[in-house]
Amino acid sequence: MSVVCQLSPGWLLDHLSFINKINYQVHQHHEPCCSKSEPTSVYLDSLHMDSVSSFGSSATFTASDSTIKLANDDGGNCELFIQKYVFRSELFDVTIPYITSAIHKECQQSNETEELMNGVEKEISISTVGKKRKRCVALNQGEVDAMEYHAKIRELILDGSSQLIQEGFKSGFLHPLSEKGDKCREPITLPLDTCNLSELCEMAKHLPSLNETELLTLQLMGEDVSVTGQDLFSRVVENNSSFTKMITVMGQRYLLPPKSSFLLSDISCMHPLLNCGKTYDVIVIDPPWQNKSVKRSKRYSYLSPLQIKQIPIPKLAAPDCLVITWVTNRQKHLRFVKEELYPSWSVELVAEWHWVKVTSSGEFVFPLDSPHKKPYEVLVLGRVREKAALPLRNADVKVLPIPDHKLIVSVPCTLHSHKPPLAGCLCY
């Protein structure tokens, strides 16, 4: 289970155990070794970890191999080669905060925050060429809104997280800093991300779109499936088998879990998903919100509020569908979701949760009162409520109420924008 413990404030989660529970096993049959005289047996290699040979140096998975001899229809034996992949545990090796600050600096920040909340302008020294001068800097409305929001939820975050962190220590999931100087350890340095999925989407925008009569679903058959980027775009790719499928796209390998599907596209091309005729009981949205960091890094393109509104949630949602939207700490975005986005989708706001990111030693990854980055993110939960009277789901299916002001505490993955699993929290 991904849930390490559950208390009244919320949940302490283990991302890594959730991912590795998915059973990323790739099966490959080898016919040439068939023999009628050999007995059925199982061979296990020394469980070597070899991410480079399978996915390259930047892979997020490591593999272990095993070989099983099975009887075939001719009475002989055939080898079944099994590769089991697990997520690299070092990607969750967050032992020290991203930003550390001395206690007196944190106190100073707290005092400055109180002064600013009282409308007192802060005097700061600004270095200029050859001299220093002082000027008063007044907070803009967005900064004032952010501070007011933080003041409102601060005690909830602090008290609830403390309770869950203490349970994490008791269970052994979290560990206090050792005397060996864990604070001096350098953060893990990851290889450059070489995933080309975003580039594929960008390239596909310039390809001719599929006609309504063309195949909109691609069923993955066989063991190692090679497909082109054009084959993937504008089609729902499905793996209906009980085993993981490995697909090779433009020389890179990707694992598709059993009983899963995906659409490699952007919101400008959603008709393959809509034409499948499926609706969903839970929809989780993580929009690329506009912010200064994204503009500077140019890591990905962001969506405007108007573009986010165009996501066809009403057509994809089943009756009473639970819609969960990840929102940055910018109050402008949070108000947009609550006051504009959800009403436009006929989604009723039911709860607001927070994901609190901590190190493996139970510290916030950023100082709680940092004026810049916070150690938490917001989830806005809502239920689809049809304006017109439509048949609801089966009366035997009970729709559970969603509790408000819950916390999800976990050690974050070092990969960019990797969110925690929510399944365990929704099955409370």
Side-chain angles (χ1 to χ4, degrees):
M1 283 290 292
S2 61
V3 177
V4 177
C5 68
Q6 178 182 354
L7 300 175
S8 58
W11 304 266
L12 177 65
L13 298 187
D14 181 356
H15 301 212
L16 185 61
S17 68
F18 176 83
I19 297 171
N20 290 336
K21 219 180 73 173
I22 294 176
N23 187 26
Y24 284 103
Q25 287 191 358
V26 178
H27 290 195
Q28 292 179 323
H29 289 84
H30 294 277
E31 297 293 338
C33 61
C34 293
S35 170
K36 295 183 179 181
S37 59
E38 295 180 358
T40 302
S41 57
V42 177
Y43 297 93
L44 293 178
D45 291 353
S46 57
L47 298 177
H48 66 277
M49 309 307 286
D50 185 7
S51 63
V52 177
S53 63
S54 297
F55 286 83
S57 59
S58 63
T60 57
F61 285 85
T62 55
S64 61
D65 304 335
S66 62
T67 303
I68 302 176
K69 288 198 171 183
L70 303 172
N72 60 17
D73 295 337
D74 299 328
N77 293 318
C78 294
E79 286 188 350
L80 175 63
F81 181 69
I82 301 175
Q83 274 194 316
K84 181 175 181 179
Y85 293 86
V86 294
F87 206 78
R88 288 171 53 188
S89 59
E90 60 265 33
L91 295 177
F92 288 95
D93 188 21
V94 182
T95 57
I96 58 176
Y98 299 144
I99 296 178
T100 57
S101 57
I103 296 177
H104 72 276
K105 286 186 178 180
E106 292 185 357
C107 293
Q108 183 181 8
Q109 273 186 350
S110 179
N111 292 335
E112 290 174 350
T113 299
E114 290 180 4
E115 292 175 356
L116 290 168
M117 288 295 295
N118 293 327
V120 179
E121 292 184 336
K122 178 179 63 175
E123 282 197 74
I124 61 173
S125 296
I126 298 179
S127 298
T128 59
V129 179
K131 63 178 181 179
K132 286 188 177 181
R133 63 184 177 87
K134 286 187 176 182
R135 69 180 178 90
C136 290
V137 177
L139 297 178
N140 61 42
Q141 189 58 48
E143 292 169 327
V144 172
D145 292 344
M147 292 178 63
E148 290 178 350
Y149 180 80
H150 176 70
K152 184 174 67 174
I153 66 168
R154 187 182 186 279
E155 292 307 312
L156 169 73
I157 300 291
L158 186 60
D159 295 343
S161 298
S162 298
Q163 294 180 46
L164 290 164
I165 289 169
Q166 289 304 312
E167 286 299 314
F169 287 140
K170 292 178 184 178
S171 67
F173 175 68
L174 299 177
H175 306 276
L177 288 176
S178 68
E179 297 179 358
K180 297 179 181 179
D182 284 345
K183 281 188 176 291
C184 298
R185 290 178 55 184
E186 292 294 326
I188 180 173
T189 301
L190 296 176
L192 293 176
D193 186 9
T194 57
C195 176
N196 289 331
L197 291 182
S198 59
E199 286 81 355
L200 281 174
C201 282
E202 185 64 31
M203 177 186 69
K205 291 180 182 179
H206 306 288
L207 298 175
S209 59
L210 294 176
N211 297 323
E212 295 292 330
T213 56
E214 291 188 73
L215 180 66
L216 297 178
T217 302
L218 177 62
Q219 295 277 354
L220 292 183
M221 309 297 293
E223 292 160 350
D224 188 357
V225 184
S226 293
V227 292
T228 66
Q230 188 168 354
D231 288 336
L232 287 179
F233 190 75
S234 298
R235 288 187 174 92
V236 176
V237 182
E238 295 183 344
N239 174 19
N240 292 323
S241 72
S242 300
F243 303 100
T244 296
K245 295 290 185 182
M246 182 186 295
I247 61 175
T248 305
V249 184
M250 296 181 66
Q252 292 187 323
R253 295 180 180 181
Y254 301 89
L255 297 176
L256 185 60
K259 307 295 183 183
S260 65
S261 60
F262 70 91
L263 172 64
L264 180 62
S265 178
D266 63 16
I267 61 170
S268 66
C269 183
M270 298 285 285
H271 69 272
L273 189 59
L274 296 172
N275 290 344
C276 286
K278 295 180 180 179
T279 57
Y280 303 90
D281 294 321
V282 179
I283 297 176
V284 181
I285 310 165
D286 187 11
W289 296 104
Q290 178 181 356
N291 60 54
K292 293 179 181 178
S293 176
V294 171
K295 281 186 174 180
R296 285 195 300 266
S297 66
K298 297 181 180 179
R299 181 176 291 176
Y300 56 82
S301 300
Y302 56 82
L303 292 179
S304 68
L306 180 60
Q307 290 172 312
I308 296 174
K309 272 187 178 182
Q310 293 172 351
I311 301 174
I313 295 300
K315 295 181 179 179
L316 295 171
D320 293 315
C321 171
L322 179 64
V323 179
I324 305 173
T325 304
W326 287 96
V327 189
T328 67
N329 287 314
R330 191 174 179 184
Q331 292 305 293
K332 178 181 177 181
H333 296 153
L334 188 57
R335 284 196 302 269
F336 165 72
V337 172
K338 293 179 177 180
E339 300 171 8
E340 297 184 47
L341 185 63
Y342 276 13
S344 71
W345 288 341
S346 298
V347 172
E348 176 188 359
L349 177 67
V350 295
E352 183 177 317
W353 293 359
H354 293 86
W355 172 34
V356 183
K357 293 171 271 189
V358 299
T359 68
S360 56
S361 58
E363 298 179 87
F364 294 127
V365 295
F366 294 107
L368 179 58
D369 296 317
S370 167
H372 304 295
K373 289 193 173 184
K374 295 289 192 292
Y376 56 80
E377 294 185 35
V378 185
L379 300 86
V380 182
L381 297 85
R383 287 271 188 205
V384 169
R385 304 299 189 199
E386 297 291 346
K387 295 178 181 178
L390 294 177
L392 297 179
R393 64 173 71 225
N394 190 324
D396 295 333
V397 179
K398 189 176 181 181
V399 178
L400 295 175
I402 301 297
D404 200 3
H405 302 303
K406 291 294 184 180
L407 301 183
I408 298 171
V409 177
S410 69
V411 179
C413 181
T414 53
L415 296 178
H416 175 70
S417 197
H418 185 105
K419 297 300 193 293
L422 302 178
C425 305
L426 300 176
C427 297
Y428 56 91

